[in-house]
């Protein structure tokens, strides 16, 4: 049971890390994009939409898309850090 729990937390850590990476790339592409019809911006909008949707429901309606991306990035990084600390507390190696 311990190994299953450890591996599940490790998987959540990896997914949170990848989500933070994708949201970071979305922030960079949105910053560098000159036109709203940019294909790269569309790609990252589609890729990160499932990550942004839950926080869009929580944030106030006047929050901008940029603010939403930054809050999502902070949430992903917090989740990643929390899982890494939990893995370290469980005594396993915190590499991965």
């Amino acid at each position: 049971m311990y190994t299953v729990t450890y591996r599940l937390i490790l998987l959540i850590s990896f997914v949170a890390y990848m989500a933070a990476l994708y949201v970071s790339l979305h922030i960079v592409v949105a910053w560098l994009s000159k036109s709203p019809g940019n294909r790269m911006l569309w790609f990252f909008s589609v890729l990160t939409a499932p990550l942004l949707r839950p926080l869009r429901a929580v944030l106030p309606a006047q929050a901008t898309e940029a603010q939403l991306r930054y809050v999502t990035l902070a949430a992903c990084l917090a989740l990643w850090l929390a899982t890494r600390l939990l893995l370290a507390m469980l005594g396993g190696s915190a590499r991965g």
Side-chain angles (χ1 to χ4, degrees), residues 5 78-79 89:
T5 305
L79 179 62
M89 286 175 27

Side-chain angles (χ1 to χ4, degrees), residues 26 43-56 68:
H26 189 181
F43 173 76
F44 280 106
S45 296
V46 170
L47 187 67
T48 60
L51 300 170
L52 300 176
R53 196 173 299 122
L55 290 174
R56 187 183 318 256
L68 181 62

Side-chain angles (χ1 to χ4, degrees), residues 5-76:
T5 305
Y6 184 83
R7 288 181 182 187
L8 181 64
I9 295 170
L10 189 62
L11 178 65
I12 293 170
S13 173
F14 177 71
V15 170
Y17 175 77
M18 292 303 297
L21 184 67
Y22 287 142
V23 173
S24 299
L25 288 172
H26 189 181
I27 290 171
V28 169
V29 168
W31 182 67
L32 293 175
S33 176
K34 302 292 185 218
S35 67
N38 189 347
R39 286 183 169 208
M40 188 70 83
L41 185 59
W42 173 84
F43 173 76
F44 280 106
S45 296
V46 170
L47 187 67
T48 60
L51 300 170
L52 300 176
R53 196 173 299 122
L55 290 174
R56 187 183 318 256
V58 175
L59 290 178
Q62 65 266 20
T64 64
E65 286 293 318
Q67 291 171 337
L68 181 62
R69 286 190 292 266
Y70 283 114
V71 169
T72 304
L73 177 62
C76 290

